Amino acid sequence: MDELKDFPIVVSVDVRYRDLDTFNHVNNAVYLTYFEQARVAYFRELGWTSSDDSVVVARAEVNYRRPIVLGQQLRVGCRVARFGQKSYVMEYRLLADGELAADGTTVQAFVSGGKGAPLPEELKQRIRAVEARVGRHL
């Protein structure tokens, strides 16, 4: 069973030597970088550009399930879980050699003109279209 089948965006990530800490496993902070790589792929899929109004990470949470070491094959799934008034929540699942290594969430706050603003309906529709590809409906 593919643990990432309900995630519309899945990216492969290489563990780099620089990702390791003194215990020879991936440093805890690097997991957020792996999540970020999936999030950037999601934004690309939305057609989101830097000329658009922005979203910023307002909160990040990681649940560490097991260590990751050099040479493992990583896949990161990313999806939007729900909308708020001025933000949305993204969920991540990180597999190392097919086994759950971490999961987590980030909250993206929408920013327009340098301040928090309501999520535009156009952005919600783009997200809904991406999620619908794997049968998810927000």
Side-chain angles (χ1 to χ4, degrees), residues 98-113:
E99 294 183 25
L100 182 64
D103 54 40
T105 60
T106 56
V107 176
Q108 276 62 232
F110 186 74
V111 177
S112 182

Side-chain angles (χ1 to χ4, degrees), residues 108-127:
Q108 276 62 232
F110 186 74
V111 177
S112 182
K115 347 169 148 173
L119 285 176
E121 191 57 37
E122 178 192 359
L123 177 57
K124 290 181 185 178
Q125 291 303 333
R126 288 183 191 185
I127 291 170

Side-chain angles (χ1 to χ4, degrees), residues 21-94:
D21 60 19
T22 57
F23 299 107
N24 286 322
H25 54 70
V26 172
N27 180 275
N28 63 312
V30 176
Y31 287 64
L32 287 170
T33 301
Y34 297 159
F35 288 0
E36 179 184 52
Q37 288 180 260
R39 185 170 58 251
V40 168
Y42 198 107
F43 290 160
R44 272 196 307 269
E45 195 67 24
L46 291 175
W48 199 257
T49 68
S50 60
S51 65
D52 294 325
D53 288 325
S54 187
V55 290
V56 296
V57 175
R59 177 184 168 95
E61 182 176 309
V62 181
N63 300 303
Y64 302 96
R65 306 299 181 179
R66 68 183 203 74
I68 299 171
V69 297
L70 192 64
Q72 290 191 294
Q73 299 293 319
L74 304 185
R75 293 174 61 223
V76 185
C78 179
R79 65 185 176 193
V80 172
R82 63 187 170 279
F83 297 119
Q85 292 293 338
K86 296 181 179 183
S87 64
Y88 56 93
V89 176
M90 298 187 92
E91 296 177 329
Y92 307 87
R93 187 171 294 157
L94 170 57

